[in-house]
Amino acid sequence: MLTQACANRPDIVAAEAEIRAAEAEVRLARAEARPSPVLGGEYSRDEGDRIASATLSIALPVFQRNQGVLQRAEAVLKRAREELALVKVQVEREVRELLAEYERARATLALYDEEVVSAMEENVSLLRTMLEAGKVGYTDVALLQRERIETGLALLQARTDVAVTAVNLRSSAGLPLAPAQSGCVR
């Protein structure tokens, strides 16, 4: 399933091209092992007579049946198929790992969006009320402001992590880095 989604990756495309080339070599080696008839003709004049002759020759590969070249071509084909299978397994593992990393980054961002930011806004509102009532000092306000800035930076980092892992995942899957959007100029 994942390897079908990753079919446009350059390493998979290259491995598939190597298989096609190896298959062509095998077909060529098999064709060279078969008899190849040669038809020839000649037209000449000899002492006023017109002479037409035709020749047919068939080379019978009795001893030289191209076994070495065929075995080599089949070995190259087998190796190319094994390399493609290995590349597909590696791609699938890489995409699964990046997908898990992307899901973790999204979960972290969701936690910030749902809980941490709203709790921080609630704290700021409570502190503002307490400051107006004279129950806290400016030191407490400064500490909360620092905490608010750190939370904002952490939220920004979480959003960056989601964006970076999304790009890495799309790149690994052989997809365009940015989804196509209709009507937008970028």
Side-chain angles (χ1 to χ4, degrees):
M1 179 175 85
L2 284 176
T3 52
Q4 289 175 345
C6 302
N8 294 331
R9 276 185 54 129
D11 47 356
I12 290 178
V13 171
E16 289 171 343
E18 285 184 32
I19 287 176
R20 286 190 301 274
E23 288 171 343
E25 288 291 326
V26 168
R27 285 192 305 272
L28 177 64
R30 286 184 179 149
E32 289 175 346
R34 289 190 214 113
S36 55
V38 176
L39 182 62
E42 184 178 317
Y43 178 79
S44 63
R45 291 184 147 196
D46 187 20
E47 296 179 12
D49 294 331
R50 294 180 191 166
I51 302 172
S53 63
T55 59
L56 174 65
S57 64
I58 300 176
L60 297 175
V62 176
F63 298 107
Q64 170 55 14
R65 297 190 51 202
N66 220 19
Q67 295 99 335
V69 175
L70 180 60
Q71 287 176 348
R72 181 190 169 283
E74 287 174 343
V76 167
L77 176 60
K78 180 181 177 187
R79 182 173 155 257
R81 286 180 175 155
E82 289 170 353
E83 284 181 7
L84 176 63
L86 178 64
V87 167
K88 285 183 176 182
V89 166
Q90 290 172 341
V91 165
E92 189 171 326
R93 185 185 72 236
E94 179 182 322
V95 170
R96 284 185 194 279
E97 289 172 359
L98 287 170
L99 185 59
E101 185 178 334
Y102 175 71
E103 292 301 325
R104 282 191 302 272
R106 282 182 47 128
T108 301
L109 179 60
L111 177 70
Y112 272 101
D113 282 341
E114 293 172 6
E115 296 178 15
V116 175
V117 173
S118 62
M120 181 55 67
E121 294 302 321
E122 189 177 312
N123 287 347
V124 168
S125 176
L126 287 173
L127 187 65
R128 187 174 292 137
T129 304
M130 292 174 70
L131 181 64
E132 290 171 357
K135 297 197 179 205
V136 293
Y138 287 106
T139 309
D140 295 323
V141 172
L143 288 174
L144 187 64
Q145 285 291 67
R146 179 179 175 189
E147 193 175 312
R148 186 175 183 194
I149 290 170
E150 289 173 354
T151 301
L153 289 174
L155 176 62
L156 182 62
Q157 183 63 48
R159 288 186 177 152
T160 302
D161 290 345
V162 168
V164 168
T165 56
V167 168
N168 289 342
L169 179 60
R170 294 183 71 79
S171 174
S172 179
L175 299 172
L177 296 183
Q181 297 178 356
S182 60
C184 290
V185 177
R186 288 191 172 209

